[in-house]
Amino acid sequence: MSDLFMLVDSDGDVISRGLTYGGAQALRDEWLAKYAGSGGGVTLLIKPNEPITDVPPVRVHFQTFPTHVENRAIGLPVIADGAERDHLRECFARRSEARDVLDLAADAAKRGKAHYSDCLAEVVRLRAADEAEVAAAGATLATRFKAGASASLEPNLRTGRHALLDAEARCDAARKAAALLNSEVSAAEDALATAEQAVERSVDALIHADLQYMLAELKQLWQKIVPLKLTIDGARYVGFPPGVDALAVLQPPELPPNAGARYVGQLANYRKALLQNADAAFADQPEKVIA
């Protein structure tokens, strides 16, 4: 028979196991003193220690399996540790240059389009004038024929046809110029899209580096917490059973179901801020997601 005992309440719930009889008495007295004024009629019993036959699963307040719809940590640019923000600033500079190039290209294309429209309008005007002059010359010629005249019009009929041909040539040149300028706008838009993507990837690399730092910190904390917890919990076997306060500390903290929502919001806002400012800090971000 084991020389160890356990402390249970009137509902059969185990308060502590593996205690000496004196340790169980001390723990019972501490609990009774703590809840003496509650009026709850607490009853604590000292019973022979029983082995744990069914260990309940440990409750955790975080997901242990991925439920993400995307993974921004894939395909990140290779950046030296600690140089993430400098790399992001360089991406900002290239994005700014790409925007300037696009603005210049768009302005030139706008002027080219306006010039082409003017040339096209001039062609329409001259073509209408040419058609009117040709029609008038035809009417004059018909009148002469009806009058019995055999003499034809002067050999050089001037209807503005040369001006129309020149205008059409200028219009064709303007159309070619507009097409060329539009292609440069498309190229500038593609370059800006590439620069924007580089900024996003650089931001993701920075956030990933921050998370890796947090992960390293958490690992160090666990390396400290686990030995402390095991030592305090195991002290009962050498005559130092955990008291009420110790038992409360040894339990996982009770968190509300949406306890992590504030950090999700902060992280989302952090990414949005980094897309515009390389000096943005996670701690400065609001908890609610900014639209």
Side-chain angles (χ1 to χ4, degrees):
M1 181 176 178
S2 174
D3 294 332
L4 298 178
F5 297 85
M6 62 183 184
L7 186 65
V8 299
D9 61 14
S10 55
D11 295 327
D13 293 331
V14 178
I15 305 300
S16 185
R17 297 176 184 271
L19 305 173
T20 63
Y21 190 81
Q25 284 183 316
L27 182 59
R28 181 184 63 180
D29 293 342
E30 182 180 354
W31 272 65
L32 292 176
K34 187 177 183 67
Y35 294 103
S38 64
V42 178
T43 300
L44 299 178
L45 305 175
I46 299 176
K47 293 185 175 182
N49 193 59
E50 297 177 358
I52 300 176
T53 57
D54 184 17
V55 179
V58 178
R59 290 182 299 171
V60 295
H61 301 283
F62 52 87
Q63 293 179 337
T64 56
F65 54 91
T67 59
H68 51 261
V69 295
E70 63 179 336
N71 188 350
R72 298 185 187 277
I74 296 177
L76 294 176
V78 179
I79 306 173
D81 292 342
E84 291 84 7
R85 291 187 186 271
D86 289 337
H87 183 272
L88 179 57
R89 293 186 183 95
E90 293 174 1
C91 290
F92 280 159
R94 288 192 289 270
R95 182 178 66 179
S96 179
E97 292 175 0
R99 284 175 175 172
D100 291 341
V101 170
L102 177 58
D103 289 342
L104 292 174
D107 186 59
K110 182 179 179 180
R111 292 196 302 271
K113 181 180 179 181
H115 178 66
Y116 174 61
S117 297
D118 292 341
C119 290
L120 192 60
E122 181 68 4
V123 167
V124 172
R125 185 186 68 80
L126 291 175
R127 183 173 291 133
D130 178 69
E131 291 175 354
E133 290 174 348
V134 170
T140 300
L141 184 59
T143 300
R144 288 190 178 190
F145 286 149
K146 287 190 291 184
S150 59
S152 62
L153 293 174
E154 57 273 15
N156 294 325
L157 180 62
R158 300 186 180 280
T159 64
R161 181 64 56 86
H162 292 295
L164 174 60
L165 292 175
D166 288 343
E168 288 177 338
R170 288 193 298 271
C171 188
D172 288 342
R175 178 173 55 81
K176 293 288 187 180
L180 177 60
L181 293 172
N182 287 336
S183 67
E184 292 181 356
V185 169
S186 297
E189 288 175 340
D190 291 342
L192 178 57
T194 300
E196 291 279 10
Q197 186 179 29
V199 168
E200 289 197 15
R201 294 276 71 195
S202 181
V203 166
D204 293 337
L206 174 55
I207 294 177
H208 183 260
D210 287 346
L211 293 175
Q212 292 302 111
Y213 175 77
M214 295 179 188
L215 183 62
E217 278 195 317
L218 181 59
K219 182 178 180 180
Q220 291 178 355
L221 288 175
W222 276 117
Q223 290 173 346
K224 293 180 180 179
I225 290 173
V226 171
L228 290 174
K229 184 179 185 302
L230 294 177
T231 301
I232 295 171
D233 189 56
R236 69 185 69 193
Y237 299 109
V238 292
F240 297 94
V244 176
D245 294 338
L247 289 172
V249 172
L250 289 173
Q251 300 303 314
E254 290 293 334
L255 301 176
N258 60 342
R262 57 171 294 184
Y263 303 102
V264 174
Q266 273 189 292
L267 197 57
N269 291 329
Y270 182 41
R271 187 174 188 275
K272 290 182 179 180
L274 283 174
L275 289 173
Q276 304 300 327
N277 179 14
D279 296 319
F282 174 75
D284 297 335
Q285 305 309 312
E287 299 173 9
K288 293 185 178 180
V289 177
I290 301 174

